[in-house]
Amino acid sequence: MTTYQRKVLLSTSAGIALENMDIMFLAFSLSSMIASFHISGTKAGFISTITNLGMLIGGIFFGIIADKYGRVKVFSQTVLLFSIASLLMYFASNIYLVYLFRFIAGVGAGGEYGACMSLISESFSKKQIGRASSVAGIGAQVGAALAAILAAVIIPTFGWKMLYVVGVLPVLMVLFIRRGLTEPKEFKSAQSAEKKTNLSRLFESKHLAWQTCGLSIMVTVQIAGYFGLMNWLPSIMQNRLGLSVSGSSLWMVSTILGMSLGMMTFGMIMDKLGPKLAFSLFLICSSLSVYLLVLAHSQWSLVAAAVIDGYFINGMYGGYGAVISSLYPTEIRATANNFIMNLGRAVGGFSSIVIGFLMDHYSLTAVILFLSGIYLVSLLVLTTLTGVTALRESLQH
């Protein structure tokens, strides 16, 4: 890598890490919020829903802005937005202000992704893009780990509001972004051509419309599986195996380790075999690996299952940015990344509700069948996306 490419990868990885850290703060502070504001579980659950809604709206808006005015500009602006919104949580005196501030944070977080992935795509060669986007994706897992550590240190001593004050620190990164990065040449060339940039271009032909819808379905499955693993299964395993909270935490750490290893290797596999074969391999293995959770009957067998599940289920995450960036032209690249990823987040986030329903009315086996089935649906959709198949040759040059 060149010095500039290292700066791009460092900045985007850090940006995605800090964004996910801020989003994950909610998971660790939710019970404290419920106690502070004396709210029901329904009202508390709406905090996550409105954050996802903000991410979808911010993704669409900032995607278009990034395609018109620049990746680096939008990258720094969105980091500022979700950082300031995080700080404002300290001053939230009721649940309605929490809704407002988390919506604003969602707008910023949703807008950042497309700028990051477009910046990577236009700064690295096609042979490197899979590995580069996967490395940036690992930042999300680093952010989740940081959120867990900070929550454990800050909330018991200083309270949940102080946790969000830490979320303003990404503002300092903006200084590095603005000083160290410039707009890629590929973007400048597209900008000088004054080509049309708007959301409708993602659907301007039948082929492109299905490509956009198909990739949105695949990302929805990706997010649904992630939320299923991270939100529900720790508590399920506590009840099933009689694990303590520390035991289930070990499961989460093992899952995150597996996810990070998966991301590190998926990019290399995709660059070598091509996107269609790489995604097919990981989707099939994801569908099969979830059954390991049913077979686990001890803490250490559960840890092994967690590493394997995390490896396949979230190893693909970074690959979506590479595929989307390669399939869509420069002038709508950030728009495509933000729209597809944030639509998937908004819809896939409902998997927690589905899994809760299955647990209430059926069993863990039903949850496993659901998770296994959605990966096969994603695989079926993949086989219809001819553009992904054609990417293998173009990514080799």
Side-chain angles (χ1 to χ4, degrees):
M1 289 189 291
T2 65
T3 301
Y4 180 76
Q5 286 174 328
R6 290 192 185 93
K7 287 181 180 179
V8 167
L9 202 53
L10 176 62
S11 299
T12 52
S13 299
I16 290 173
L18 293 169
E19 170 212 320
N20 201 48
M21 179 189 76
D22 183 77
I23 297 300
M24 288 299 294
F25 278 164
L26 179 61
F28 299 102
S29 62
L30 192 59
S31 59
S32 299
M33 285 188 196
I34 292 172
S36 294
F37 298 124
H38 308 289
I39 55 175
S40 66
T42 302
K43 284 188 174 181
F46 190 62
I47 301 172
S48 178
T49 302
I50 202 166
T51 303
N52 285 336
L53 179 61
M55 293 177 83
L56 178 58
I57 293 173
I60 295 171
F61 174 76
F62 280 111
I64 294 171
I65 297 299
D67 283 329
K68 283 188 175 181
Y69 301 109
R71 286 72 164 100
V72 178
K73 291 177 183 177
V74 167
F75 184 15
S76 59
Q77 289 164 359
T78 52
V79 170
L80 279 173
L81 188 60
F82 74 70
S83 298
I84 292 171
S86 183
L87 177 62
L88 289 173
M89 285 289 288
Y90 183 80
F91 303 99
S93 56
N94 57 64
I95 189 60
Y96 301 104
L97 286 175
V98 171
Y99 291 156
L100 174 62
F101 298 149
R102 294 321 292 163
F103 175 80
I104 296 171
V107 170
E112 183 196 30
Y113 180 83
C116 286
M117 288 302 166
S118 297
L119 188 58
I120 289 172
S121 174
E122 292 157 11
S123 301
F124 287 83
S125 70
K126 292 187 181 297
K127 287 183 178 181
Q128 298 172 306
I129 189 173
R131 279 167 286 181
S133 62
S134 291
V135 169
I138 293 172
Q141 304 313 311
V142 175
L146 281 173
I149 294 168
L150 290 169
V153 173
I154 293 174
I155 292 179
T157 305
F158 302 102
W160 68 267
K161 286 189 175 182
M162 188 58 69
L163 182 64
Y164 287 91
V165 173
V166 177
V168 79
L169 292 179
V171 168
L172 300 175
M173 194 182 74
V174 173
L175 300 175
F176 177 79
I177 295 170
R178 288 179 170 172
R179 185 173 61 179
L181 300 180
T182 57
E183 299 297 344
K185 292 180 181 178
E186 186 177 340
F187 168 75
K188 291 179 179 178
S189 299
Q191 191 180 37
S192 62
E194 296 184 354
K195 294 181 179 179
K196 182 175 65 173
T197 299
N198 57 52
L199 191 62
S200 65
R201 286 201 58 190
L202 304 183
F203 306 92
E204 63 182 0
S205 68
K206 288 183 179 180
H207 166 75
L208 204 54
W210 172 240
Q211 178 175 283
T212 300
C213 292
L215 287 169
S216 297
I217 292 170
M218 291 183 68
V219 173
T220 297
V221 169
Q222 178 74 30
I223 300 299
Y226 177 82
F227 277 109
L229 279 176
M230 299 301 284
N231 290 357
W232 265 108
L233 289 180
S235 61
I236 291 172
M237 291 305 163
Q238 281 178 32
N239 295 330
R240 184 165 177 267
L241 298 180
L243 296 178
S244 63
V245 174
S246 60
S248 64
S249 296
L250 177 61
W251 181 90
M252 288 193 72
V253 171
S254 302
T255 306
I256 291 173
L257 173 62
M259 290 176 175
S260 299
L261 291 172
M263 290 181 185
M264 288 174 67
T265 54
F266 181 80
M268 292 184 286
I269 293 170
M270 191 178 81
D271 287 340
K272 188 74 174 176
L273 302 180
K276 185 174 182 179
L277 190 54
F279 272 100
S280 296
L281 176 64
F282 269 64
L283 286 169
I284 292 170
C285 290
S286 295
S287 181
L288 295 174
S289 66
V290 292
Y291 290 99
L292 293 174
L293 297 169
V294 180
L295 300 175
H297 294 289
S298 69
Q299 180 166 323
W300 293 111
S301 63
L302 181 59
V303 166
V307 172
I308 295 170
D309 280 340
Y311 180 89
F312 289 111
I313 284 174
N314 214 43
M316 298 174 282
Y317 179 78
Y320 288 101
V323 168
I324 296 167
S325 296
S326 300
L327 285 174
Y328 293 84
T330 307
E331 62 271 15
I332 57 169
R333 184 169 290 146
T335 302
N337 267 297
N338 274 351
F339 176 80
I340 292 169
M341 182 55 66
N342 289 300
L343 180 61
R345 280 171 171 168
V347 179
F350 284 99
S351 68
S352 294
I353 298 174
V354 175
I355 290 173
F357 174 83
L358 292 174
M359 285 302 301
D360 288 340
H361 295 88
Y362 298 97
S363 65
L364 175 61
T365 302
V367 173
I368 299 302
L369 288 172
F370 165 72
L371 290 172
S372 179
I374 61 175
Y375 289 109
L376 295 179
V377 169
S378 184
L379 177 64
L380 180 63
V381 170
L382 175 65
T383 62
T384 69
L385 299 178
T386 56
V388 178
T389 305
L391 274 181
R392 183 178 181 182
E393 288 188 12
S394 65
L395 290 176
Q396 302 302 313
H397 300 90

